[in-house]
Amino acid sequence: MTKVRWIALVPVTALAWWLVLLVGMFVHGVVEQSLCPPDDWISETCANEPVHQTLDYLVLTVSGLSAVVVVLSAVLIAPRNKRAVAWVAWVVVSGVAVAATLATDDWIHGLVATACGCATIVLVSRTRLIHQ
């Protein structure tokens, strides 16, 4: 069973990340459709600034949540060396966040993902979960 968990670590963690992103995109669309007044739709895009601010906060939340889910799923799947696995997962998340930040010049999303991933390690380290 230990080998299976090590083999499953990367695919399960990647799947967890993708699920958060997919749910985030779905929620983004639902929120945009729900909040944007009909008169503010221009070329199938909502042109309402308060709605855009709400959507920006939603995207930041999804960025942070994706980092949390990656770190947690890695810790839960790893059969041992959970602290090291958590830090490796955080480094990978941070690397992806930095790459996305460099590609988009939107540094706040990378900062949020990196901070949330690190905070997850700190919080999980205070539980028995990471000491198993």
Side-chain angles (χ1 to χ4, degrees):
M1 187 62 151
T2 300
K3 287 181 185 179
V4 171
R5 288 176 68 180
W6 281 121
I7 292 169
L9 181 66
V10 172
V12 168
T13 304
L15 179 63
W17 178 63
W18 274 106
L19 286 174
V20 170
L21 292 180
L22 287 175
V23 169
M25 290 187 322
F26 174 77
V27 170
H28 186 281
V30 169
V31 169
E32 185 177 35
Q33 290 289 326
S34 299
L35 295 181
C36 192
D39 294 340
D40 287 344
W41 285 97
I42 300 171
S43 300
E44 297 184 18
T45 302
C46 181
N48 184 295
E49 189 57 35
V51 172
H52 276 278
Q53 288 177 343
T54 300
L55 293 173
D56 287 345
Y57 290 128
L58 176 63
V59 171
L60 284 173
T61 301
V62 170
S63 296
L65 184 60
S66 66
V68 169
V69 167
V70 166
V71 171
L72 280 178
S73 63
V75 168
L76 291 171
I77 296 295
R80 59 184 173 271
N81 300 327
K82 291 177 182 279
R83 185 181 312 278
V85 168
W87 283 108
V88 168
W90 178 75
V91 167
V92 171
V93 164
S94 298
V96 170
V98 167
T101 296
L102 292 174
T104 63
D105 267 349
D106 203 356
W107 60 270
I108 191 71
H109 291 84
L111 180 64
V112 166
T114 302
C116 286
C118 189
T120 302
I121 294 173
V122 170
L123 292 173
V124 169
S125 293
R126 295 174 184 237
T127 69
R128 293 182 52 147
L129 184 64
I130 207 164
H131 299 293
Q132 296 176 353

